[in-house]
Amino acid sequence: MTRSNVTTSIQWFIFILATNIVPPLSIAALFELSPDETMTFISRSLFIFALFSIIQTLLGHRLPILEGPAGIWW
């Protein structure tokens, strides 16, 4: 793996992580959820994202292009 590929992979990982943490935080603030409810909401969002990423990788086109809920929610 070249240095460019590693850099691109890290950048893509950070992008995916950010697009799956920021929307649940914004929604939790909008609905004035408690800290416990917010943590549960974020945990569920990350779990669902991970599950669908695995399904996409195994059964789909085998490319990491899933962007999580951000595109739908925003």
Side-chain angles (χ1 to χ4, degrees), residues 27-55:
I27 291 169
L30 178 68
F31 288 106
E32 299 177 357
L33 298 180
S34 71
D36 290 335
E37 292 171 325
T38 301
M39 184 57 73
T40 301
F41 187 46
I42 292 171
S43 297
R44 287 181 182 166
S45 293
L46 290 173
F47 176 76
I48 295 296
F49 172 72
L51 181 67
F52 280 105
S53 293
I54 291 169
I55 291 170

Side-chain angles (χ1 to χ4, degrees), residues 10 25 55 72:
I10 291 171
L25 280 174
I55 291 170
I72 297 169

